[in-house]
Amino acid sequence: MELDNDGVPVWSRYNQKPAYLPEIEELNSSIEIIPRLALAHEPQSPYYAALCTMSQLNSQIGGYPSWVQDPTYPLCPCCEQRMRFIGQIDYADFDEYAEGIFYMFVCPKDNITATIYQQS
Ligand SMILES: [Zn+2]
């Protein structure tokens, strides 16, 4: 995705919308209310997820990704630099039968975002 001047994500010129996805209007009318994530009362160390002895299954903002598989920092398609980690979402926070983690990245210079999904 790319962020416009207001920070609103739009399809990136480097990406193509898969044909199986519904139109935005259809999607907006069919969205179910999903559980909202909340910030923890106590912040955790930015290194929390990087410790192999800690749980990998946590949604978080900032810090370091807790990779389920090998680390995969995407390259920005504009400047070809590694993108910065923003946060991760545990799929199980939205679907009790789901597994895996979505990792989110941004290139602040080019306003490009990327998402990677990994599962065990
Ligand atoms: Zn870039």
Side-chain angles (χ1 to χ4, degrees):
M1 304 298 281
E2 293 186 35
L3 302 175
D4 68 13
N5 292 336
D6 296 323
V8 176
V10 296
W11 280 101
S12 171
R13 64 192 155 199
Y14 298 102
N15 198 1
Q16 293 184 351
K17 180 183 159 195
Y20 59 82
L21 287 181
E23 295 300 320
I24 293 293
E25 296 77 32
E26 293 175 46
L27 194 60
N28 286 341
S29 65
S30 65
I31 289 178
E32 297 175 33
I33 296 175
I34 55 177
R36 291 181 178 260
L37 298 177
L39 293 176
H41 295 289
E42 295 290 326
Q44 55 189 345
S45 162
Y47 299 104
Y48 175 84
L51 298 174
C52 63
T53 55
M54 303 301 258
S55 169
Q56 291 182 321
L57 302 177
N58 289 304
S59 297
Q60 66 178 32
I61 298 172
Y64 291 89
S66 63
W67 298 108
V68 174
Q69 301 172 9
D70 292 336
T72 307
Y73 288 87
L75 293 174
C76 172
C78 288
C79 66
E80 299 183 353
Q81 299 295 306
R82 296 277 176 210
M83 299 176 84
R84 290 187 189 172
F85 177 70
I86 302 170
Q88 65 186 45
I89 300 289
D90 180 356
Y91 200 178
D93 285 342
F94 296 95
D95 183 336
E96 66 179 309
Y97 302 109
E99 68 168 290
I101 295 183
F102 294 93
Y103 304 92
M104 299 163 289
F105 300 87
V106 68
C107 175
K109 175 177 163 275
D110 296 307
N111 288 339
I112 301 279
T113 64
T115 303
I116 291 175
Y117 173 75
Q118 292 184 349
Q119 72 177 83
S120 58

